[in-house]
Amino acid sequence: MNPKKIALTFLSAIGLLGGAGQAGAQTQTPAKPNVVILATGGTIASRGADSLALTDYGLSKGLKPVGVEALVAAVPEIEKFANITGEQIFNVGSSKLGIDNWLTLAKRTNEILASKNVDGVVITHGTDTLEETAYFLNLVVKSAKPVVLVGSMRPSTGMSADGPLNLVNAVALAASPSARDKGVMVSMNEVIGSAFSVTKTNTTNVATFKSLDGGDLGYMQNSTPFFVAQPLKRHTVHSEFDVSGLQKLPRVDINYTTLGSDGVLIDAAVAAGARGIVNAGVGHANMPEVTMQSLKAAQQKGVAVVVGSRTVSGIVTPTGPFTEAGFVSSMMHTAQKARILLMLGLTRTSDPKELQRIFEQY
Ligand code: ASP
């Protein structure tokens, strides 16, 4: 059966497509939660030439990705935790995804979660940009039901592949009532991270995802979630952002600061139509004077400026000369997450004070 077909069979059964499915569901006692897996591609869906091909695999080797049907079939254990269906929403490496894919994914996730017969969603995703998609969804999903992003660092054919257990744990987490209202989560390597905190820290290691600020939300032990924390930043049903009517997001670019760097890339971003710039400064958001001049020139043209840090941890204090200049502090957001929050913030306001409020609340 092709992936579309299994998705349609399930969606019909749970009443998302209307018709007889809903009536049928009322006559059955649901013994298990219903979890929908949205598959987007990535290493978890990749194949290598042999079991030791752990970094060189997939399309670059002429090996087509596996579909959601094969991902699900590889781990029959997941049926212990939930009734499963899969839907192949994309099938690409996560570095190839775009904003249009985000909007499609967010709208589909909201549509699925709106069904009273769905208990949670798992999204399989490449790990390279997984934290970005997780944070975007954390701000725009309109449900307290669990949404869990999962990937793998080793291809499905690799020795000690991490995908199968990661997928089982992600489904077990999405099926668990204890995972409600925790915001969008990332479940990898038996650690539950919040979309706000988690970041990829290693190019290839299976323990790549870390929550450097904010800490882990919990752990998966024998496929049972053990939570130790709760996210306090605004997310999902507590968020003011809504992409349901949007076809695109404002362009926001990141400038990476180094010793001796200048403002040429900021000027280019403004010329390319950026409505916001995130400056990844050094240390506590510092930058060369020429960079400051380019940011001020951008601001005078109506471009919103967020000052952040290229360090991977810590708060940028929202006071001092940058604040006096009308720049917005990124607070604890990495540059890539500050970009997402600024894109969404700009759908509501361009007032620096309002944007600062947003950066402090999310
Ligand atoms: N290249 C992969 C991606 O799609 C890496 C991974 O999934 O681990 O992001």
Side-chain angles (χ1 to χ4, degrees):
M1 206 190 304
N2 71 37
K4 281 246 155 44
K5 186 82 182 292
I6 54 170
L8 287 175
T9 305
F10 177 82
L11 294 177
S12 171
I14 63 176
L16 270 184
L17 298 179
Q22 216 142 8
Q26 280 168 3
T27 60
Q28 291 169 9
T29 313
K32 287 184 286 185
N34 295 314
V35 170
V36 179
I37 299 179
L38 295 176
T40 73
T43 295
I44 194 167
S46 296
R47 293 181 297 128
D50 60 63
S51 62
L52 293 178
L54 296 183
T55 65
D56 201 8
Y57 51 80
L59 279 180
S60 61
K61 288 278 155 193
L63 297 163
K64 287 211 174 100
V66 302
V68 65
E69 188 186 25
L71 279 182
V72 170
V75 281
E77 293 86 349
I78 54 179
E79 283 169 28
K80 190 175 155 205
F81 301 98
N83 301 311
I84 299 292
T85 189
E87 190 173 323
Q88 192 75 53
I89 190 154
F90 322 113
N91 206 349
V92 292
S94 70
S95 60
K96 310 293 182 283
L97 292 168
I99 305 291
D100 52 333
N101 296 122
W102 269 357
L103 293 171
T104 302
L105 184 60
K107 289 171 189 174
R108 186 70 188 124
T109 303
N110 279 328
E111 191 177 25
I112 289 168
L113 290 172
S115 166
K116 66 176 170 46
N117 298 315
V118 171
D119 299 289
V121 165
V122 168
I123 298 170
T124 63
H125 198 287
T127 60
D128 290 348
T129 63
L130 186 145
E131 72 204 62
E132 294 179 54
T133 300
Y135 191 56
F136 175 70
L137 293 174
N138 192 51
L139 300 175
V140 301
V141 162
K142 298 287 172 208
S143 173
K145 294 175 187 174
V147 176
V148 182
L149 273 86
V150 64
S152 76
M153 293 301 288
R154 296 183 180 145
S156 60
T157 45
M159 187 175 284
S160 297
D162 50 334
L165 183 57
N166 281 350
L167 185 55
V168 171
N169 281 343
V171 167
L173 180 59
S176 170
S178 68
R180 281 181 67 93
D181 202 23
K182 297 282 193 300
V184 172
M185 291 163 283
V186 173
S187 178
M188 293 273 301
N189 205 38
E190 299 176 306
V191 180
I192 307 165
S194 86
F196 172 76
S197 299
V198 85
T199 193
K200 187 175 185 178
T201 62
N202 187 288
T203 52
T204 51
N205 196 283
V206 294
T208 186
F209 282 96
K210 304 279 184 212
S211 294
L212 298 170
D213 287 326
D216 301 327
L217 277 186
Y219 307 95
M220 297 301 293
Q221 185 95 322
N222 291 324
S223 300
T224 300
F226 289 87
F227 282 97
V228 294
Q230 172 127 338
L232 295 178
K233 309 304 284 185
R234 289 177 70 177
H235 61 75
T236 58
V237 288
H238 313 288
S239 166
E240 70 205 71
F241 304 114
D242 183 3
V243 292
S244 57
L246 296 183
Q247 303 307 321
K248 55 183 185 164
L249 292 175
R251 179 180 177 127
V252 172
D253 289 300
I254 296 172
N255 183 62
Y256 195 93
T257 305
T258 63
L259 185 155
S261 61
D262 57 25
V264 165
L265 296 178
I266 296 167
D267 304 342
V270 173
R275 291 204 31 227
I277 303 282
V278 174
N279 193 64
V282 292
H284 189 210
N286 297 314
M287 65 190 83
E289 195 48 42
V290 277
T291 307
M292 184 80 174
Q293 292 315 321
S294 285
L295 290 179
K296 282 187 173 160
Q299 188 189 41
Q300 265 159 20
K301 289 183 179 151
V303 176
V305 174
V306 170
V307 287
S309 176
R310 69 179 198 184
T311 62
V312 291
S313 167
I315 302 172
V316 175
T317 318
T319 54
F322 295 140
T323 310
E324 282 153 26
F327 298 163
V328 176
S329 155
S330 67
M331 301 304 291
M332 291 173 75
H333 299 88
T334 57
Q336 60 270 31
K337 289 187 190 170
R339 171 178 173 261
I340 297 163
L341 188 53
L342 185 54
M343 286 193 286
L344 288 169
L346 286 168
T347 64
R348 317 230 1 131
T349 182
S350 52
D351 174 10
K353 286 205 169 54
E354 256 301 277
L355 288 170
Q356 187 63 63
R357 193 250 326 144
I358 285 170
F359 271 80
E360 290 176 32
Q361 290 183 347
Y362 290 87

